[in-house]
Amino acid sequence: MRFKRMICLLVMMVFPIAFAFPVFADMGPKPQVTVRVENPPEGLYYLDLLVPYQDDYPNLTEEERAAADPELLKGLASLEDEGWYPALSGGTHIPLSGSLTGEPDGGEMVHAFGYAPPDSFRIILASEEGTVVSDVVETHVFRSTVRFDAQTGETSQRSWWLAYPFQYFTTLIPTLIIEGIVFLLFGFSLKRHWVFFLILNMSTQLLMYYIIWCADKVGAPVVGFFYFFYMIPLEIFITIIEAVAYARCPLGKSGKRRVLCAAAANAASCFAGFFLAEPLFYWTNILF
């Protein structure tokens, strides 16, 4: 009876929180590329990302295009003959948000490209002095920061081999905390079963990242509705794996309780992760 009351209390706490927020098809964390311009030119300039294709989705409104400097727009499109097209001021497959002019931050200018930025691109800067173009830039994390020298066209990023472990642990640690609380609420002992709990969660996190990495490599979209299209089945798949592991491990409780604990723990971490994703990716973006 005490166990049933505890489960009812947990459901009563989570249910109103879950339905207190409107759900839209476009909710979920979005990828982002932040370009920090070092040695920016004096006066007006435009900065854009160059991609090796052109599509007809207009990322600038008619009003924005009419108000823009036509000569600088021509500068951004100056490499089209070489097969490189401006993404924000030109067109893309999927909507791209951003600003051609950027925002000042100390002695640098910051340009944030969001919603669906490309993983591979070149940076082009057009000013009255001419254009500066970078080599091809490859990003490695969900939200990346690229430093761009406006005088030389050189770019730099943090090392990818540091970015991947950092991103892994920024999601693993909250998962361990949240699922550990649920584990204790169901009456299981972390003191006796911490090895099982830790190895299982580390393994399923690695599996999740590997599947997401594979999806990214084949060009699977991860924005808007597609975020739920991929993540919800993936979370269900992970839940099934953990439920089987819980059922087979002698944790000292009934099999039904073990399976229910696995399902509740994954549901709680998935729900919390939806709201924790933004601040976690924010710090990833600052560091990488």
Side-chain angles (χ1 to χ4, degrees), residues 126-195:
S127 67
E128 294 181 354
E129 302 173 0
T131 60
V132 181
V133 185
S134 75
D135 291 332
V136 176
V137 176
E138 301 280 351
T139 59
H140 303 287
V141 292
F142 196 68
R143 294 193 175 177
S144 301
T145 297
V146 181
R147 307 193 75 87
F148 173 72
D149 191 318
Q151 293 183 355
T152 65
E154 295 180 353
T155 61
S156 63
Q157 297 183 76
R158 297 287 184 116
S159 300
W160 65 267
W161 59 272
L162 289 175
Y164 279 126
F166 180 84
Q167 186 167 317
Y168 172 75
F169 283 105
T170 56
T171 56
L172 174 64
I173 293 174
T175 298
L176 291 175
I177 294 173
I178 294 166
E179 296 199 14
I181 293 173
V182 176
F183 194 80
L184 292 173
L185 287 174
F186 272 78
F188 297 103
S189 173
L190 276 175
K191 183 177 181 180
R192 284 187 294 172
H193 305 295
W194 69 268
V195 174

Side-chain angles (χ1 to χ4, degrees), residues 106-263:
E108 301 177 341
M109 293 293 290
V110 179
H111 298 254
F113 297 89
Y115 197 83
D119 296 326
S120 177
F121 54 87
R122 298 174 73 183
I123 300 172
I124 184 169
L125 185 149
S127 67
E128 294 181 354
E129 302 173 0
T131 60
V132 181
V133 185
S134 75
D135 291 332
V136 176
V137 176
E138 301 280 351
T139 59
H140 303 287
V141 292
F142 196 68
R143 294 193 175 177
S144 301
T145 297
V146 181
R147 307 193 75 87
F148 173 72
D149 191 318
Q151 293 183 355
T152 65
E154 295 180 353
T155 61
S156 63
Q157 297 183 76
R158 297 287 184 116
S159 300
W160 65 267
W161 59 272
L162 289 175
Y164 279 126
F166 180 84
Q167 186 167 317
Y168 172 75
F169 283 105
T170 56
T171 56
L172 174 64
I173 293 174
T175 298
L176 291 175
I177 294 173
I178 294 166
E179 296 199 14
I181 293 173
V182 176
F183 194 80
L184 292 173
L185 287 174
F186 272 78
F188 297 103
S189 173
L190 276 175
K191 183 177 181 180
R192 284 187 294 172
H193 305 295
W194 69 268
V195 174
F196 162 80
F197 180 80
L198 181 62
I199 292 177
L200 179 62
N201 278 280
M202 290 183 67
S203 301
T204 52
Q205 283 280 307
L206 282 173
L207 176 61
M208 178 176 290
Y209 270 96
Y210 176 72
I211 294 174
I212 294 174
W213 179 80
C214 290
D216 178 68
K217 290 302 179 183
V218 298
V222 292
V223 297
F225 168 78
F226 296 101
Y227 175 79
F228 296 97
F229 183 78
Y230 289 105
M231 290 305 298
I232 291 178
L234 182 54
E235 288 285 355
I236 294 174
F237 176 63
I238 295 298
T239 299
I240 293 173
I241 292 177
E242 293 197 3
V244 172
Y246 271 66
R248 294 187 175 184
C249 182
L251 300 175
K253 303 293 181 182
S254 67
K256 182 179 179 180
R257 181 179 291 200
R258 295 199 298 271
V259 171
L260 187 58
C261 178

Side-chain angles (χ1 to χ4, degrees), residues 166 170-171 174 273 276-285:
F166 180 84
T170 56
T171 56
L276 291 174
E278 281 297 326
L280 289 176
F281 285 126
Y282 170 79
W283 286 107
T284 304
N285 185 40

